[in-house]
Amino acid sequence: MNINMPSLSSITMTRTNQAHVGTAKLTSLVPGQESASVQNQKSFGTFESYLVNAVSEMNSQQLDVNRVQEQLITDPDSVDIHDVTTAMAKAQMSLNLAQTVIDRLITGWNELSTNR
């Protein structure tokens, strides 16, 4: 009688009983190996860090536009007008996206606070 058993490295813990749901992180049965949910949390970071990174990226695009515009004014031969137009479009898109995200966050927060 030959029974195929999965290797220990492929076993992950799952909570199947609703009474056992908690806030603690799931751990793997194999020492030194973490479950998939813990690995996913490490790769994405926190929501706060994601927002801070997005805002800093938007800010750097705005600063790039200012730098290219100043260069266009001071030395017009060194800058291609297409680069200025592209930088302005990218900065405008990132600003619109940030405004949309902020509006949706505020709307979501207001909905959550009225449901209490």
Side-chain angles (χ1 to χ4, degrees):
M1 180 182 211
N2 189 3
I3 300 174
N4 289 335
M5 294 185 65
S7 66
L8 288 178
S9 62
S10 65
I11 296 175
T12 58
M13 295 180 64
T14 57
R15 293 185 173 119
T16 56
N17 188 342
Q18 289 297 323
H20 298 150
V21 174
T23 58
K25 293 182 180 178
L26 296 177
T27 58
S28 176
L29 294 175
V30 179
Q33 181 182 7
E34 298 177 7
S35 66
S37 64
V38 174
Q39 290 173 352
N40 288 342
Q41 288 177 356
K42 284 186 178 180
S43 64
F44 290 119
T46 63
F47 184 69
E48 177 186 5
S49 66
Y50 176 75
L51 281 178
V52 168
N53 289 338
V55 169
S56 67
E57 179 66 26
M58 181 195 64
N59 186 39
S60 68
Q61 287 179 351
Q62 298 292 328
L63 293 175
D64 285 343
V65 168
N66 288 339
R67 182 186 54 79
V68 172
Q69 286 176 339
E70 287 175 5
Q71 190 176 359
L72 180 67
I73 293 169
T74 58
D75 188 18
D77 294 333
S78 68
V79 179
D80 188 17
I81 192 67
H82 294 70
D83 293 337
V84 177
T85 306
T86 304
M88 290 175 70
K90 283 174 60 176
Q92 184 64 36
M93 280 181 87
S94 67
L95 192 61
N96 287 341
L97 180 63
Q99 185 176 5
T100 302
V101 168
I102 290 169
D103 289 344
R104 289 193 181 184
L105 282 172
I106 291 171
T107 303
W109 178 257
N110 287 337
E111 288 179 8
L112 283 173
S113 64
T114 57
N115 286 337
R116 290 186 181 195

